Amino acid sequence: MVNIVFKFFIAISCLLIFRGLLAEPLLDGADFDYGEYLSGQCLTCHQNSSDEGIPAINGAEALYIAKKLILYKNKELGNEVMQLVAGALDKEQIASLAIYFNSLEK
Amino acid sequence: MNNLSRRSFVSFALASTSLLAMPAISTGSARPKVVVVGGGAGGATAARYIAKDSKGAIDVTLIEASKHYYTCFYSNLYLGGFRDYDSIGHSYNNLSANHGVNVVHDWAISVDSSARKVRLGSGATVSYDRLVLSPGIDIKYDSIDGYSVEAQTKMPHAWKSGTQVKVLRDQVLNMPKGGTFAMVPPPNPYRCPPGPYERISMVAHILKEKNPTAKIVVIDPKNKFSKQGLFMAGWEKHYPGMVEWIDNDTHGGIKNVNPETMEIETDLDTFKADVACVVPAQRAGAIAMNAGVTDGDWSPIVPASMQTKADSNIYVLGDASVASAMPKSGFSANSQAKVAANHIRGELTDSRVFPAKFSNTCWSLVATNDGIKVGANYKAGEEKIEVVDKFVSKTDEGNAKRKKTYEESIGWYNGITTDMFS
Ligand SMILES: Cc1cc2nc3c(=O)[nH]c(=O)nc-3n(C[C@H](O)[C@H](O)[C@H](O)COP(=O)(O)OP(=O)(O)OC[C@H]3O[C@@H](n4cnc5c(N)ncnc54)[C@H](O)[C@@H]3O)c2cc1C
């Protein structure tokens, strides 16, 4: 009985976390395939093979990526290349990139 | 045989002499076929992305003359002693091993666009549904009086992948004390707009250390150049009095060069050099001309897809294309390759095609830990690739920022070469 309650509890928690993720407004409208295409622009510089000079971003938290991109877009973080890249991304594109990079192996 | 091993077998067969006996190369599959000519920044990226993203649904053959690709990007850093030569060489092994690309090391000699076939140096033919040409540049040897294929050992251009840059480095290292290094940059449009000026910086860097009384004279067929203010301020700061840049209006035009006497004659004067790097005008690699997709020296393209205006089955990437506002750079070629790869997959496998997005950043090294950059992103206009936004380093930014910019360029080099060859 305890076991069943426990499982139920876990299942509900998972559901809530999952819904929470989807409900996260920063990730609204995310489109995985679009993210894969857009990632091409990032992969010219961001690769797992090297963390030197430019960070590897594969497998990073989706929200973390989205928030960073928004900071660059608003020029609140200072790197000209990133400001340029993020400046040209809309909300859906940012969300798509965030979930795509999150899906990649670290 | 499963697909991959069959493909590996084909690669092997292609590499062996049995190819000569074969009338045509066939992988024996009904998969749509993409042939990519040129395994540089544009071609290697395109082959890798089409093969990787189509997950085997498209049969990709890459025809590349050389077994190893030595990047022109960072070749100036090799010249300046910041990299060793091996570190800028890359092999094609992973493209076949990881993505099943049939890599054929041969020259593409001609394209029959109505039969959709490419003829190779070996005599074999390869048929295609879509053809991607990214052959880079050819040097217009006759664009400077007195320059020739033979002249290039005496006055190397070192503007194509390969060992000429080694010759140039040896010549600079062995220059007589207090001697003169002359540089003749190319006229527009040419591969890598800041490249000649980064090269001058790297030569100055060597000379400052090993031959500090030597001089550098730049005899430019142009009156201005990329990142000019940044480079000139850098030369004044790091190499005061060493570099003299003479614009076209001042010298009045380059009349000829003489590799025997090492002289460069202009309207104004005749310059005598101990070492000279002469980079003539350029045009699209010969195979683009042969395929009939050029107009003048370069290949006009449709911005949304990189298809040529002349033939919608043929795409031209990188230096060989007329990419309007985008400079001829490795970054640009890599960026265009992804747009083309997405479009080709869509055409051949009905995968989703997304709007073209292009970008470019060119980093240059002026001196130890003094990196500068210029960049832009672009969109496909109706007729041209158009700038959306751009930036350039500032002359007054601090040393820490310049060092960071240099470190970022190392990240970019590792990134782009992984993106091409992993
Ligand atoms: C000194 C220098 C510094 C540079 N620095 C930078 C930099 O810092 N950043 C940057 O982004 N760019 C830089 N560039 C520019 C960059 O190297 C080129 O723009 C880029 O390589 C263009 O890519 P591509 O695919 O058009 O041609 P390439 O990279 O030249 O590739 C063409 C390939 O096609 C092969 N080929 C050609 N014809 C045939 C044929 N018929 N059959 C088979 N194979 C064929 C060639 O062997 C070659 O491997 C620099 C260039 C120079 C010269």
Side-chain angles (χ1 to χ4, degrees):
Chain A
M1 181 61 197
V2 175
N3 205 357
I4 289 176
V5 170
F6 185 66
K7 275 187 182 158
F8 180 74
F9 176 73
I10 295 280
I12 291 285
S13 318
C14 286
L15 210 85
L16 285 176
I17 291 171
F18 187 62
R19 281 196 43 156
L21 246 168
L22 282 188
E24 172 51 58
L26 285 183
L27 300 179
D28 270 1
D31 173 339
F32 186 87
D33 288 353
Y34 197 15
E36 181 178 33
Y37 168 71
L38 291 168
S39 74
Q41 203 184 0
C42 317
L43 291 168
T44 307
C45 302
H46 292 276
Q47 288 280 347
N48 266 6
S49 55
S50 161
D51 223 357
E52 193 180 356
I54 292 176
I57 53 176
N58 291 7
E61 286 298 325
L63 264 181
Y64 169 83
I65 299 175
K67 281 180 182 160
K68 279 266 187 179
L69 283 172
I70 289 164
L71 287 173
Y72 280 120
K73 186 176 170 72
N74 297 338
K75 299 198 190 313
E76 287 168 66
L77 275 177
N79 176 295
E80 301 86 341
V81 181
M82 283 309 300
Q83 288 178 352
L84 202 72
V85 170
L89 296 172
D90 62 26
K91 222 177 133 292
E92 282 72 30
Q93 292 171 329
I94 288 179
S96 303
L97 277 168
I99 65 156
Y100 178 72
F101 273 104
N102 173 251
S103 78
L104 298 180
E105 242 173 76
K106 273 200 194 211
Chain B
M1 265 190 251
N2 65 24
N3 273 349
L4 196 68
S5 59
R6 187 195 295 130
R7 281 200 298 273
S8 322
F9 169 73
V10 170
S11 309
F12 172 75
L14 293 178
S16 76
T17 48
S18 65
L19 183 66
L20 288 174
M22 282 190 222
I25 295 168
S26 157
T27 54
S29 77
R31 293 179 298 157
K33 292 191 178 79
V34 172
V35 172
V36 180
V37 175
T45 308
R48 182 169 172 272
Y49 272 73
I50 296 168
K52 174 172 79 68
D53 293 345
S54 73
K55 302 185 175 65
I58 299 176
D59 181 334
V60 182
T61 300
L62 173 65
I63 297 159
E64 163 56 50
S66 308
K67 289 248 159 80
H68 280 88
Y69 179 77
Y70 286 88
T71 56
C72 285
F73 27 109
Y74 264 31
S75 66
N76 283 331
L77 274 70
Y78 157 74
L79 183 62
F82 291 89
R83 297 286 287 218
D84 61 49
Y85 193 66
D86 287 347
S87 79
I88 60 169
H90 303 271
S91 114
Y92 293 93
N93 292 347
N94 288 335
L95 292 184
S96 34
N98 297 345
H99 309 291
V101 175
N102 306 311
V103 181
V104 181
H105 290 297
D106 199 349
W107 284 97
I109 301 296
S110 63
V111 175
D112 179 345
S113 54
S114 48
R116 288 201 244 141
K117 282 184 192 331
V118 180
R119 180 168 292 279
L120 307 187
S122 64
T125 54
V126 202
S127 54
Y128 63 83
D129 295 302
R130 295 293 182 279
L131 175 64
V132 178
L133 301 176
S134 195
I137 53 157
D138 273 358
I139 300 288
K140 290 170 89 170
Y141 289 97
D142 57 4
S143 64
I144 300 179
D145 250 12
Y147 201 72
S148 61
V149 178
E150 297 73 42
Q152 60 185 352
T153 39
K154 292 259 174 63
M155 294 178 155
H157 56 75
W159 218 248
K160 291 182 70 158
S161 169
T163 50
Q164 263 193 44
V165 67
K166 283 184 134 177
V167 175
L168 188 62
R169 179 168 157 84
D170 284 349
Q171 291 174 347
V172 173
L173 289 174
N174 293 313
M175 210 165 98
K177 293 287 161 239
T180 299
F181 175 90
M183 170 103 201
V184 178
N188 291 323
Y190 63 96
R191 153 179 288 184
C192 195
Y197 311 97
E198 181 184 55
R199 178 163 291 175
I200 289 154
S201 311
M202 291 296 95
V203 170
H205 171 77
I206 306 179
L207 294 177
K208 181 182 175 179
E209 219 170 86
K210 304 208 185 315
N211 191 349
T213 54
K215 292 271 174 276
I216 297 176
V217 54
V218 189
I219 306 154
D220 210 318
K222 305 182 291 296
N223 286 324
K224 56 181 193 200
F225 60 86
S226 168
K227 295 189 263 193
Q228 181 165 350
L230 291 164
F231 276 115
M232 292 184 86
W235 296 339
E236 222 19 70
K237 176 176 173 193
H238 300 289
Y239 320 111
M242 186 182 267
V243 185
E244 185 188 6
W245 177 72
I246 309 175
D247 66 20
N248 195 68
D249 282 353
T250 306
H251 64 65
I254 297 156
K255 289 165 95 178
N256 61 66
V257 299
N258 186 335
E260 292 314 315
T261 59
M262 293 295 284
E263 285 174 337
I264 297 158
E265 192 187 341
T266 68
D267 265 356
L268 173 75
D269 208 347
T270 297
F271 298 87
K272 189 157 172 56
D274 296 290
V275 177
C277 171
V278 175
V279 189
Q282 297 151 25
R283 64 168 168 241
I287 195 71
M289 306 272 167
N290 180 281
V293 293
T294 48
D295 180 10
D297 286 339
W298 312 99
S299 203
I301 48 87
V302 177
S305 61
M306 299 304 294
Q307 279 164 307
T308 57
K309 292 202 166 148
D311 183 336
S312 59
N313 294 321
I314 304 181
Y315 295 67
V316 172
L317 309 177
D319 294 352
S321 69
V322 182
S324 339
M326 284 186 97
K328 297 185 187 304
S329 75
F331 199 131
S332 295
N334 169 271
S335 170
Q336 293 156 9
K338 291 163 192 171
V339 168
N342 182 250
H343 193 265
I344 290 171
R345 275 209 302 134
E347 294 242 307
L348 298 179
T349 65
D350 280 337
S351 63
R352 288 165 71 192
V353 178
F354 298 103
K357 232 176 193 317
F358 302 98
S359 52
N360 175 64
T361 296
C362 285
W363 285 267
S364 307
L365 189 61
V366 182
T368 306
N369 287 328
D370 190 353
I372 54 175
K373 58 184 170 179
V374 59
N377 52 17
Y378 308 85
K379 66 173 197 281
E382 274 296 304
E383 279 302 307
K384 291 181 169 178
I385 297 180
E386 295 163 3
V387 176
V388 176
D389 202 2
K390 59 184 176 183
F391 73 86
V392 59
S393 296
K394 303 200 170 49
T395 32
D396 58 357
E397 56 198 9
N399 294 345
K401 166 103 184 164
R402 290 296 179 86
K403 180 164 184 277
K404 231 174 152 37
T405 300
Y406 169 55
E407 287 162 359
E408 193 176 277
S409 82
I410 300 172
W412 164 76
Y413 185 87
N414 293 336
I416 191 171
T417 50
T418 304
D419 204 31
M420 291 163 67
F421 294 113
S422 71

